[in-house]
Amino acid sequence: MASYLTEPFDRLPFGGADKARRYATERYQGAAGLNWYDCDPTLRFLMRRHLGDGFGWAEPRLRELGALMGGPVNAWAEETDRNPPRLEKYDRWGRDISEVVMPGSFEASRRELVATSFTRPDFIAEAKANGVDPAPLGVAWSYLLDQADIGMACALGTGGDMVVGLTELFAPDEVKERVREIFAAGAFSGEAAQMLTERSGGSDLGALESTATRDGDAWRLNGFKWFASNANGSAFVVLAKPEGAVDGVRGIAPFLVLRERRDGARNGVRIRRLKDKLGTRSVASAEIEFTDAEAFLLAPASSAGEGGDGKGLARMMELTNGARLGISMMGLGCARRSLVESLCYTRAREAFGAALDEQPLMRRKLAEMIVETEAVQALVFDGYLGKPRLRIGAALIKLRAARLGVTAASDAIEIHGGNGYIEQWPVARILRDAQVNPIWEGGDNILCLDVRRAIERNDAHEPFLDRLTEAVANAPGGDDATADLVSARIGHVREAIGKWRGLDRSTAEARLYPLAQYMADVYAAALLLEQASWERADSGADRKALVARLYARRHLADAGPLRAIDAPAEDLDRFKDLADGAFVHVGE
């Protein structure tokens, strides 16, 4: 039953029931309220593959998670977006308390997520006790959360592994114990932040000015961080230069700063203001000043007294690859949510005598979104679960996934027409949120520089190309043309890397972007072929082979002088297979 009043213009001479039906509110429910596990055949397929015999134990828990994310967590995210955090700068006596007040919707969501997280220690122990690998479940948890609220994912997870890991290696014993208490619920408890960016330079970390001065077994840290997310946390990794260190990258060291000093007093952490951001409003981002803050060096102390071994930043950057995969998952989450909203909307919306998803041009766009989203899904899941973990993988995956989150959300807004541009519809928030992913943990240019570093210092392209060759070798029979195409492109990537290494330094840097994009294209195509072999073994179906073929045709094939206008119309002819394999509205 409709919850709105009948409009007078429904009774106008050119109106009528058929036209009124097209804008009946109850027909446009979208993804909200659905079980996001049940409606996602691709996730169920990947969980069956990666969990093996443990799938039976895991599926009821995955189904509960899908209901939680599609229901309460998504609703809380919408409420928090409308009522973002605020800063209580001073108490009634005018003293600086720098307290971030989070909305009730955020607190409710965080409590539920921390209590039910697949990354919490007791859940991991239970899974292992039942012979189940908890890693794929943790990936699924992030994947579903990121469809609801990437800001919450940032608030819960940013820097947690880094704080815990570096503290255990380098902090005094009493500080280790305090950090263990803070993170008793696991690294994804919403208590951590990493504070790198300063006004003097974002990606140019060597230009930072924050300074640490030795003070007994601790340090006094002074400086100003320009963009620090999860400012309401309790434990921060802060980059600073020890007094007397070189003024450059090698002089940087990571420090641990807790909200409270060891003696229980408030530490010298002042919040100047919260950032008024475009999106991700559920994570409090702030400008933070450190004034003689008690800090602990998270690196080996050097005998020369500089405060580190000159490798503090490099050591921290090794942990950054995990964070980049987290941002990649956020991009995938935005893309997946945009896809689902688009499929829901086009099934309900009618124009020119038919539903939108029956129109050839719309089918072409939806098919493209399906293929691109599943290609990035293959990349991200391989980044997390593939063995061995590729040194070069995180940068390439983030390069592709973060950007897809933006373009898919933009496509979803266009598909919704004017409605998509209105904040009452969900895709406007998804676009606002997605736009940060290409920035967090390094923009495209920084990622390309990391690809260069990995090739030049580690020959990281060799295990990367081996991984691609292995994936294509497992391609199912029946589509040798696609496998041959991808195999040929693997050889071409190797050739391109060799040519690139012979370029002069400036030209080589300028060519990094097309090289990295080429590598990502072939990486995704190879993984989709591998998934096609899994699907063939799992169910005998050939849908993933179709996805791989469409992806390879778009990204790797020579379009020819006709720009592939004469190519087979499989995206139209098999649209139902593509759409039904991407999204199932349970109950239809």
Side-chain angles (χ1 to χ4, degrees):
M1 182 66 68
S3 60
Y4 48 87
L5 298 174
T6 300
E7 300 283 359
F9 52 72
D10 288 336
R11 295 187 290 271
L12 291 173
F14 293 102
D18 288 343
K19 290 183 180 179
R21 177 181 176 276
R22 290 168 58 179
Y23 50 86
T25 302
E26 66 273 12
R27 299 181 62 241
Y28 298 94
Q29 296 306 305
L34 299 179
N35 185 308
W36 289 355
Y37 173 77
D38 283 341
C39 74
D40 190 344
T42 64
L43 177 60
R44 298 201 303 272
F45 163 68
L46 289 171
M47 288 297 100
R48 286 196 305 272
R49 171 68 189 183
H50 288 292
L51 290 169
D53 293 339
F55 179 71
W57 178 88
E59 186 167 45
R61 293 157 177 82
L62 286 163
R63 184 161 286 119
E64 290 176 2
L65 180 69
L68 174 66
M69 298 301 185
V73 171
N74 179 63
W76 285 321
E78 296 288 348
E79 180 64 22
T80 300
D81 184 66
R82 293 189 292 268
N83 300 279
R86 61 183 176 84
L87 175 64
E88 287 282 349
K89 178 65 175 170
Y90 303 105
D91 70 6
R92 58 186 177 179
W93 290 104
R95 291 179 291 223
D96 189 331
I97 57 173
S98 290
E99 181 180 353
V100 179
V101 180
M102 304 301 294
S105 53
F106 173 91
E107 296 293 2
S109 186
R110 180 168 66 173
R111 280 194 304 271
E112 189 66 25
L113 287 167
V114 171
T116 61
S117 169
F118 287 179
T119 65
R120 68 188 192 276
D122 60 314
F123 180 88
I124 292 173
E126 182 184 0
K128 289 181 176 179
N130 283 275
V132 178
D133 181 2
L137 294 171
V139 174
W141 182 82
S142 295
Y143 170 75
L144 290 170
L145 171 57
D146 285 331
Q147 294 174 49
D149 190 358
I150 68 169
M152 177 60 77
C154 175
L156 291 180
T158 297
D161 289 339
M162 194 175 293
V163 168
V164 172
L166 293 177
T167 297
E168 288 294 332
L169 286 174
F170 301 114
D173 288 342
E174 60 184 310
V175 177
K176 291 179 183 177
E177 188 58 38
R178 174 63 182 136
V179 169
R180 288 169 191 154
E181 293 173 2
I182 291 173
F183 291 93
F188 282 82
S189 60
E191 298 291 348
Q194 55 190 44
M195 301 190 179
L196 289 67
T197 304
E198 298 190 5
R199 293 179 296 182
S200 56
S203 299
D204 184 9
L205 294 176
L208 67 81
E209 300 167 317
S210 294
T211 304
T213 305
R214 194 184 293 275
D215 185 14
D217 66 343
W219 295 73
R220 286 182 289 106
L221 197 148
N222 289 276
F224 180 47
K225 296 298 178 180
W226 182 243
F227 203 111
S229 291
N230 207 37
N232 54 311
S234 303
F236 314 132
V237 171
V238 184
L239 290 185
K241 291 173 181 171
E243 194 168 7
V246 296
D247 187 9
V249 172
R250 287 190 60 81
I252 295 173
F255 292 84
L256 173 68
V257 177
L258 300 178
R259 180 71 69 175
E260 294 181 350
R261 301 171 63 89
R262 283 181 291 186
D263 61 8
R266 180 67 177 264
N267 210 352
V269 181
R270 300 172 183 269
I271 300 177
R272 288 194 176 181
R273 62 176 175 175
L274 296 183
K275 296 291 193 181
D276 185 7
K277 297 182 296 180
L278 175 67
T280 60
R281 293 171 179 167
S282 52
V283 58
S285 301
E287 298 166 14
I288 294 186
E289 180 182 4
F290 296 96
T291 55
D292 281 339
E294 181 184 62
F296 304 94
L297 180 66
L298 296 178
S302 70
S303 57
E306 295 92 347
D309 58 358
K311 301 178 181 178
L313 181 60
R315 190 176 294 108
M316 188 171 168
M317 288 301 103
E318 290 177 6
L319 299 172
T320 297
N321 271 341
R324 283 178 175 163
L325 286 175
I327 304 303
S328 301
M329 185 65 85
M330 292 179 187
L332 172 59
C334 291
R336 170 68 192 178
R337 178 69 183 277
S338 299
L339 172 62
V340 172
E341 294 293 349
S342 297
L343 290 170
C344 288
Y345 189 82
T346 55
R347 289 178 182 182
R349 185 69 170 171
E350 297 168 0
F352 309 110
L356 287 185
D357 72 348
E358 295 176 9
Q359 313 285 355
L361 277 171
M362 184 59 73
R363 285 194 164 187
R364 182 210 66 82
K365 170 54 68 177
L366 292 170
E368 178 184 288
M369 291 177 71
I370 291 168
V371 169
E372 296 299 323
T373 299
E374 292 187 30
V376 164
Q377 184 187 59
L379 288 170
V380 174
F381 274 70
D382 190 67
Y384 274 103
L385 302 174
K387 294 181 175 57
R389 179 75 65 88
L390 297 173
R391 162 66 180 87
I392 212 168
L396 294 174
I397 294 167
K398 182 182 181 296
L399 186 71
R400 182 56 51 85
R403 188 62 57 188
L404 179 66
V406 177
T407 57
S410 179
D411 285 341
I413 286 178
E414 181 181 355
I415 286 168
H416 283 70
N419 290 334
Y421 202 63
I422 304 303
E423 290 289 355
Q424 284 180 294
W425 294 75
V427 287
R429 176 175 70 88
I430 301 304
L431 178 61
R432 287 192 286 103
D433 286 355
Q435 190 62 63
V436 79
N437 291 324
I439 300 172
W440 275 345
E441 301 300 342
D444 288 355
N445 291 344
I446 295 300
L447 298 173
C448 289
L449 291 173
D450 191 51
V451 170
R452 180 178 71 183
R453 186 180 304 111
I455 293 174
E456 292 181 342
R457 295 183 183 180
N458 310 109
D459 282 331
H461 59 292
E462 294 294 349
F464 169 75
L465 293 171
D466 289 345
R467 173 72 183 97
L468 270 58
T469 301
E470 173 194 37
V472 176
N474 294 325
D479 189 9
D480 293 339
T482 301
D484 289 346
L485 172 62
V486 179
S487 293
R489 294 297 183 253
I490 293 172
H492 294 157
V493 167
R494 181 180 291 280
E495 182 180 353
I497 292 172
K499 292 286 187 181
W500 170 81
R501 297 185 91 165
L503 298 174
D504 68 86
R505 195 68 174 172
S506 294
T507 303
E509 181 172 315
R511 298 289 185 267
L512 275 169
Y513 184 77
L515 176 63
Q517 290 287 1
Y518 193 8
M519 295 169 74
D521 286 341
V522 182
Y523 188 12
L527 294 178
L528 286 172
L529 282 173
E530 182 177 64
Q531 287 192 359
S533 70
W534 298 347
E535 183 188 57
R536 182 69 58 83
D538 181 60
S539 64
D542 70 338
R543 180 185 174 278
K544 278 292 183 183
L546 170 65
V547 172
R549 187 160 57 251
L550 292 172
Y551 184 87
R553 187 177 296 155
R554 180 168 188 242
H555 289 270
L556 302 181
D558 182 358
L562 300 183
R563 296 292 181 93
I565 289 174
D566 57 338
E570 290 186 289
D571 52 344
L572 303 182
D573 297 338
R574 295 191 60 185
F575 177 77
K576 181 173 172 50
D577 290 339
L578 288 170
D580 290 351
F583 171 70
V584 176
H585 196 316
V586 178
E588 283 187 341

